[in-house]
Amino acid sequence: MIIKDKKSQPVVFAVSDSIGETAELVIRAAMVQFNSDKVDIRKVPYVTDNEYVEDIIEEAKNTADCVIVCTIILPEVRQHLLSLAEQNQIPIVDLMGPMMDTFSKIIEVKPHLQPGLVHRIDEDYFKKIEAIEFAVQYDDGKDPRGLSRADVVLIGVSRTSKTPLAMFLAHKRLKVANLRLVPEVAPPDELFHLPPKTIIGLTISPEKLFDIRQERLKALGLSTEATYAQLSRIMEEIEYADMIMEKIGCPKIDVSNKAVEEIATSILEIIRKGEV
């Protein structure tokens, strides 16, 4: 028997093999008819393989009062999702399948079966949106699954500009995940299975990091005596991060006294040289 966590409101998974915009719009249009916004809409974009489908089903199985709304074009992935949902008695609404099947009967042209084709009118714009959403979803190691889906993975200790860099590069249409390295938490196994050329290590001088963290604590109104900003702790973190980077064998960039734009330019140069 599956024991589900109790939620304060129903959960609707908006599952798509593109950005999930259509599914979310339909969900919100339906909820207006109930004069209610008391649902937790969880967008799950870029679902293009069966493994990801199985992860979604596992999460839904442990979520009380949930439904899946999907706009998946890829037949194999859509069918896998529908089958698993039925097997696990999870309510699911397939928005695209019936429409595609109906159109196939009246239109003498085979469908392209390409996710996100509706957005190709301004492909560059939507690539940027996709990259920005990716950077947000996989910021600070929130979900290790993002590491294998990223064009670039940034690793380094706290306050080495990983998040600003990820967002900057997202505007260049690059999918960037970032991961903070701390001695007490081992990096996810996924990191060590990536090609080293897809990873960029961000290093910094201990003195510069000390100043940055001191200023950060002051801005938050916290004591500058915190372990986070002690030089001995900083040295320990940097040594650990260097060890991980050496183990991976990835390119490294020293971010000391460099602006985000300058660091991003260095990363783009590495990419252009074919190192990433």
Side-chain angles (χ1 to χ4, degrees):
M1 182 178 69
I2 297 171
I3 300 176
K4 298 187 175 184
D5 297 331
K6 293 298 181 183
K7 300 291 183 181
S8 57
Q9 57 188 17
V11 175
V12 182
F13 293 93
V15 181
S16 173
D17 46 17
S18 184
I19 61 176
E21 193 175 61
T22 302
E24 183 179 13
L25 285 173
V26 173
I27 293 165
R28 294 193 184 281
M31 292 313 302
V32 167
Q33 301 300 319
F34 294 89
N35 295 322
S36 174
D37 59 356
K38 295 180 180 179
V39 294
D40 178 8
I41 300 175
R42 300 183 186 175
K43 284 179 66 175
V44 190
Y46 317 120
V47 179
T48 56
D49 59 66
N50 288 344
E51 183 180 357
Y52 204 172
V53 165
E54 289 158 13
D55 290 340
I56 295 164
I57 292 295
E58 282 302 312
E59 183 175 355
K61 283 165 58 177
N62 293 285
T63 304
D65 300 323
C66 76
V67 63
I68 297 172
V69 175
C70 71
T71 53
I72 293 181
I73 295 294
L74 301 170
E76 180 183 346
V77 177
R78 183 174 69 241
Q79 189 55 51
H80 193 54
L81 177 62
L82 292 170
S83 296
L84 287 183
E86 182 180 0
Q87 289 173 25
N88 290 279
Q89 298 182 326
I90 300 168
I92 185 167
V93 179
D94 175 15
L95 296 177
M96 293 301 295
M99 188 172 295
M100 294 287 291
D101 292 342
T102 300
F103 279 11
S104 293
K105 295 174 182 177
I106 63 172
I107 300 175
E108 296 180 358
V109 178
K110 290 185 178 181
H112 293 291
L113 300 179
Q114 295 178 23
L117 198 58
V118 69
H119 301 305
R120 300 293 171 84
I121 296 172
D122 191 350
E123 186 174 357
D124 187 65
Y125 170 78
F126 283 100
K127 279 185 177 179
K128 184 186 297 185
I129 296 299
E130 179 182 338
I132 291 171
E133 289 187 346
F134 188 95
V136 171
Q137 184 173 359
Y138 299 113
D139 181 49
D140 204 24
K142 290 175 185 174
D143 187 345
R145 292 176 301 187
L147 300 180
S148 63
R149 298 187 176 103
D151 296 319
V152 181
V153 176
L154 305 177
I155 61 173
V157 300
S158 175
R159 313 310 296 177
T160 48
S161 300
K162 295 184 298 299
T163 297
L165 278 168
M167 296 306 298
F168 187 96
L169 293 169
H171 282 79
K172 303 293 183 182
R173 275 74 69 188
L174 288 172
K175 293 180 183 177
V176 184
N178 75 82
L179 180 67
R180 177 175 37 171
L181 299 177
V182 290
E184 293 78 15
V185 181
D189 290 338
E190 288 87 345
L191 183 67
F192 299 100
H193 294 139
L194 298 176
K197 63 181 181 179
T198 66
I199 304 169
I200 301 288
L202 304 177
T203 65
I204 190 170
S205 72
E207 296 77 16
K208 180 63 177 178
L209 187 55
F210 174 80
D211 292 339
I212 292 173
R213 290 190 176 182
Q214 287 277 312
E215 290 302 317
R216 176 62 174 168
L217 290 174
K218 289 178 184 177
L220 294 173
L222 302 174
S223 170
T224 56
E225 299 300 317
T227 303
Y228 172 77
Q230 289 181 2
L231 194 56
S232 59
R233 170 62 182 184
I234 288 171
M235 291 288 292
E236 179 186 2
E237 289 187 29
I238 291 176
E239 288 175 4
Y240 174 76
D242 284 344
M243 179 193 72
I244 295 296
M245 293 172 197
E246 290 296 326
K247 181 177 180 180
I248 294 170
C250 62
K252 294 193 290 186
I253 297 175
D254 189 339
V255 303
S256 305
N257 303 311
K258 290 182 180 177
V260 168
E261 294 83 354
E262 186 179 358
I263 304 166
T265 298
S266 297
I267 293 172
L268 292 171
E269 286 177 357
I270 293 173
I271 295 171
R272 276 193 284 269
K273 289 177 181 177
E275 296 180 26
V276 172

